Structures are given as structure tokens and as C-alpha cells.
Amino acid sequence: MARYAKEHKQATRRRIVETAGSRLKRDGIDGSGIATLMADAGLTNGAFYAHFDSKEDLVASTVADQLREQRERYSGQSLEEIVRGYLSIQHRDDTAGGCPSAALLDEIARSSESVKRAYTDGLLAIIDDAAARLAPDDPQSARVRTFGVFALMVGTLQVSRALADRRLADDVLEQGIQNALALLGAEQRISPSSC
Amino acid sequence: MARYAKEHKQATRRRIVETAGSRLKRDGIDGSGIATLMADAGLTNGAFYAHFDSKEDLVASTVADQLREQRERYSGQSLEEIVRGYLSIQHRDDTAGGCPSAALLDEIARSSESVKRAYTDGLLAIIDDAAARLAPDDPQSARVRTFGVFALMVGTLQVSRALADRRLADDVLEQGIQNALALLGAEQRISPSSC
DNA sequence: ACTATTATATGTCGTCCATAATATTACAGA
DNA sequence: TCTGTAATATTATGGACGACATATAATAGT
């Protein structure tokens, strides 16, 4: 029996998933063909089905991978750093290298249950990390509130990207930072119901 | 010269744009073919180019129309009604009949400048209406703050739609209402800098 | 009935996802 | 070191559908 080193196939699959991350975020799910996705990884279309059952399978894997990577990146940053980096001009102008939610959210919403499942699981890991830092005593109750701040950030980035007026788009980002920090601030003084 | 009543062609074009609104929001821009879009209007693909220069042209027109319609709908509602309706379960579960921003935002961000221009203009009309109601004395300064609330609403609806867990998705909506109303409330007491 | 207008029916050519047949690679054992 | 064979990749092909263009038929004022 002549087997390849186990790593080879795994490494190739990993490479496909990683390059697919950028391509999908840049051109969208429907906008990215399998031939292109494979070419990005230095392969041809025929090899695709040795690694994935279908395009949907690749999308689900890629979404999961993108969220894993995002989670790791955030583990080394404070919440305020995350907010300011997320709603930065650099992030807005780098769709391919940025947040998968902002780039793909409404296509994910239209996707199959398996893709939405991958998205939900991957995002929950990120949210729960943040919730644990926000309310170490009761992270469970902070989960939904953290979702709220995250959704605000995603929506703001998307709106900023869709606006044809650059100055307005910049202002929207800045406003988003204020709003996100305000909600996080209100978050940290939990018990006192009012000011 | 034998001309049709002027309305005929206009009416057909209008019908195409209206049915395209639902189809585009349901299946996405890349996910909707011209033949399908025309069939929705009771026509065949060949007639398309008598009404539009290109698919992009239709998309821009449809985006503009959708935002016009949304603006009119909101003109009869209070800001709180708008927020509660927007972040309702009904709206989340009716992508085809709902907000074009929530359905198409990241595809619009990837679109040509003409589509983004149509989006920007249409959205600004909605935003400025709301800003005028929020701060009648100084609507200009309220514009960006209104954008912030709108972006929060859009992001929240999208996240709720993308989650595979229905209960969680419902909770996210409810949290979004709280956040939006909180930001609107903070908005209305402008001058007093703190509490 | 004439004719401009509008729609249908095709055609072109490219790309889509997926599969099958073929070629190349790289390891295992003699 | 050489070779057989399994693992992996390439090229070729299928059938469907994509945007867009043109030729033909139907429609409806004058």
C-alpha cells in the first residue's frame, strides 16, 4: 500500500478553505465559482470533489474556519480595541480580509441549514468569549446583550461599505464606535438600573 | 405614427421593478436571473432590454424603488413603531417583503457605483425624514446619529435571520429593540450632556 | 389597413456545478 | 534502486442556466 503522508490531503484542504475565505468574502457565495475557488488554491476544478461533497459543504467549512480565525484574533484584544478595529476605515476597505459576517451575512441567511448551523456555532463561540469578559460573574445573561453589540457593529460596517459617499461612510463608522462603546459601557454597570 | 398610450410601457416597467423587488430580496442579486425576473412579471427574457440597459440598471432602479416604498411606509409611523415593526418576528420571516437593506446590503456593497449611488440617495431620504422628526431644530446634525440607529436595526435583523437557533434569534431581535430605543432615547435629550 | 410599439422566440457564447476518464505523483516493498 | 499501486490532480464532458442580442410575430392607436 502506498499512502501519501496523511498531512498532504489535509494541508491541501486547509489551503482551499483558507483561500476560499478571501474569495467568498470578496465576490460573495453566488459570485464565486468552484473553478475560481480552486484556482485560488493553485488547483483545478476537478480536484474539488475529492475534498468536499459540494459547494455548500465548502461554504459551511469556510464559514466555520473564518469564525475560528476571527475568534483567535480577538482573544488578544480588549473589547474596546475590537470595536475600534472593527469599525475602522482599514477594515471597511478590506472586505476580503475582514469579518465574514459583514461580508456574507445576508447570503448566509439565504443558505442551507448546514451553513447557518456552522455560522451559529462559530459565532456563538466568539460571542461567549466576549460575554465572559464583559460579565465574568454571569456570562450567560450577557450573551444576548453581546449579540446586540455585535449586530450593531456588523450593520454599521455594511452600511458604511454600501454608501457611495465616502465622507458620510466615514462618519457612520465613527458614530458606530460611539454607539458600540455606549452600549458596552451601559453593559458594565449592570445592576444599577439607571444613572 | 401609432403610439401606445404613454402609460403602457411605463406600467410594464413599473411591474417589472416591483416584482423584481421581491425576487431580488428573496434570492439575492447574483441568485436571480433575468429570465426569472421577467417571468415573475409575466414576460419573457427578450423583452427585458426594451426596458433596461442591463441587469445592473434594473438592480439600481429596483433598489431605488424599494427605498422609496420603504420611505412612504415609514411616513405614517412613529419612530418607535418603526423600530418595533422592523425588529419583529414577522419582518424577520418575510425577507421578500421586507427591508431591502437587510436583504441585500452586502451584495449592494459589492455592486457597481451606480447601484451604490441609488442606494445612498434612497437611504438618505429615509434617514433625513427620521432625523427631521428626531431633532426638528437641527436635522442635519441628527443625520449621522440616525444612520447609527438604522445600521443597528439592519445588522440585528440580518443576524437574527442567519441564526439556526430560533429561540436565540428571537432573543436577539428583542435585544435589538431595547438597544435601538435606548439610542433613540439618548438622542432626544441632546443638550444635557450627561444624566 | 397601416405602422410604430411591444412582446415572443431563438441564438450566441460564456460560466455554472458536478462527474468521469485520464494522467501524474509519491510512497512501499522487493 | 527500481517498480507496482494507491492517492491525488488534470483534462474533458454533461446539461443547465447566466447575460445579452436579434429576428419575427402580435398588438393597438390613428
Side-chain angles (χ1 to χ4, degrees):
Chain A
M1 294 169 256
R3 290 211 212 127
Y4 278 49
K6 288 185 182 177
E7 312 175 74
H8 281 201
K9 188 166 186 178
Q10 270 188 331
T12 301
R13 184 192 157 102
R14 175 156 197 76
R15 182 159 40 92
I16 297 170
V17 168
E18 281 174 2
T19 55
S22 301
R23 174 64 65 174
L24 290 175
K25 288 188 289 183
R26 183 185 299 282
D27 294 343
I29 296 173
D30 288 341
S32 304
I34 286 177
T36 304
L37 291 165
M38 292 299 278
D40 286 347
L43 297 169
T44 51
N45 55 342
F48 180 83
Y49 294 91
H51 295 280
F52 305 94
D53 292 342
S54 63
K55 183 182 181 181
E56 177 193 314
D57 181 20
L58 169 65
V59 171
S61 301
T62 302
V63 165
D65 181 71
Q66 287 289 312
L67 291 169
R68 246 192 314 272
E69 185 192 314
Q70 189 173 28
R71 183 185 181 205
E72 284 170 22
R73 192 176 325 128
Y74 289 168
S75 71
Q77 299 178 252
S78 73
L79 293 180
E80 181 168 346
E81 279 172 344
I82 292 173
V83 168
R84 293 191 182 276
Y86 195 99
L87 295 173
S88 68
I89 292 174
Q90 293 88 335
H91 187 196
R92 184 197 58 206
D93 295 341
D94 181 25
T95 308
C99 172
S101 295
L104 299 173
L105 201 40
D106 52 54
E107 276 189 300
I108 290 172
R110 276 191 288 271
S111 295
S112 67
E113 203 63 20
S114 68
V115 172
K116 293 170 76 171
R117 191 74 257 167
Y119 179 73
T120 304
D121 295 344
L123 184 57
L124 267 175
I126 294 176
I127 295 295
D128 283 341
D129 276 2
R133 285 199 270 167
L134 198 57
D137 48 339
D138 187 6
Q140 179 64 18
S141 90
R143 174 187 268 195
V144 177
R145 293 194 295 271
T146 306
F147 259 110
V149 178
F150 179 76
L152 148 68
M153 290 162 60
V154 171
T156 302
L157 192 62
Q158 286 186 331
V159 168
S160 185
R161 281 177 176 161
L163 291 175
D165 182 323
R166 191 174 177 80
R167 181 165 306 174
L168 182 59
D170 291 352
D171 290 346
V172 168
L173 281 185
E174 181 58 35
Q175 182 66 46
I177 293 175
Q178 303 307 322
N179 289 345
L181 294 181
L183 288 182
L184 284 178
E187 191 63 27
Q188 278 167 335
R189 11 186 170 87
I190 326 170
S191 310
S193 61
S194 191
C195 50
Chain B
M1 293 169 256
R3 291 210 209 132
Y4 276 49
K6 288 184 182 177
E7 311 174 70
H8 282 200
K9 188 167 186 177
Q10 271 188 331
T12 302
R13 185 192 156 104
R14 176 158 195 75
R15 182 160 38 93
I16 297 171
V17 168
E18 280 174 3
T19 55
S22 302
R23 173 64 67 175
L24 290 175
K25 288 189 287 182
R26 183 186 300 283
D27 294 343
I29 297 173
D30 288 342
S32 303
I34 285 178
T36 304
L37 291 165
M38 291 299 280
D40 286 347
L43 297 170
T44 52
N45 56 344
F48 180 83
Y49 293 93
H51 295 280
F52 305 95
D53 292 341
S54 62
K55 183 181 180 181
E56 177 193 314
D57 182 19
L58 169 64
V59 171
S61 301
T62 302
V63 165
D65 181 71
Q66 286 288 313
L67 292 168
R68 245 191 315 271
E69 185 191 315
Q70 189 173 27
R71 183 185 181 202
E72 283 169 21
R73 194 176 322 128
Y74 289 167
S75 71
Q77 298 179 253
S78 74
L79 293 181
E80 180 167 348
E81 279 172 344
I82 293 173
V83 168
R84 292 191 182 278
Y86 195 99
L87 295 173
S88 69
I89 291 174
Q90 293 86 335
H91 186 196
R92 185 197 58 207
D93 294 340
D94 182 24
T95 307
C99 173
S101 295
L104 299 173
L105 201 40
D106 52 54
E107 276 190 299
I108 290 171
R110 277 191 288 272
S111 294
S112 68
E113 204 62 21
S114 68
V115 173
K116 292 170 76 171
R117 189 76 256 168
Y119 179 72
T120 304
D121 295 344
L123 184 57
L124 267 175
I126 294 177
I127 295 295
D128 283 343
D129 276 1
R133 284 199 271 169
L134 198 57
D137 48 339
D138 187 7
Q140 178 63 19
S141 89
R143 173 188 268 193
V144 177
R145 294 194 295 270
T146 306
F147 258 111
V149 178
F150 179 76
L152 147 68
M153 289 162 60
V154 172
T156 302
L157 191 62
Q158 285 186 330
V159 168
S160 184
R161 281 176 177 161
L163 291 175
D165 182 324
R166 191 173 176 82
R167 180 165 307 173
L168 182 59
D170 291 353
D171 291 346
V172 168
L173 280 186
E174 180 58 35
Q175 181 66 45
I177 293 174
Q178 303 308 321
N179 290 344
L181 293 181
L183 287 182
L184 284 178
E187 192 62 27
Q188 278 166 334
R189 10 185 171 88
I190 327 169
S191 310
S193 60
S194 189
C195 51

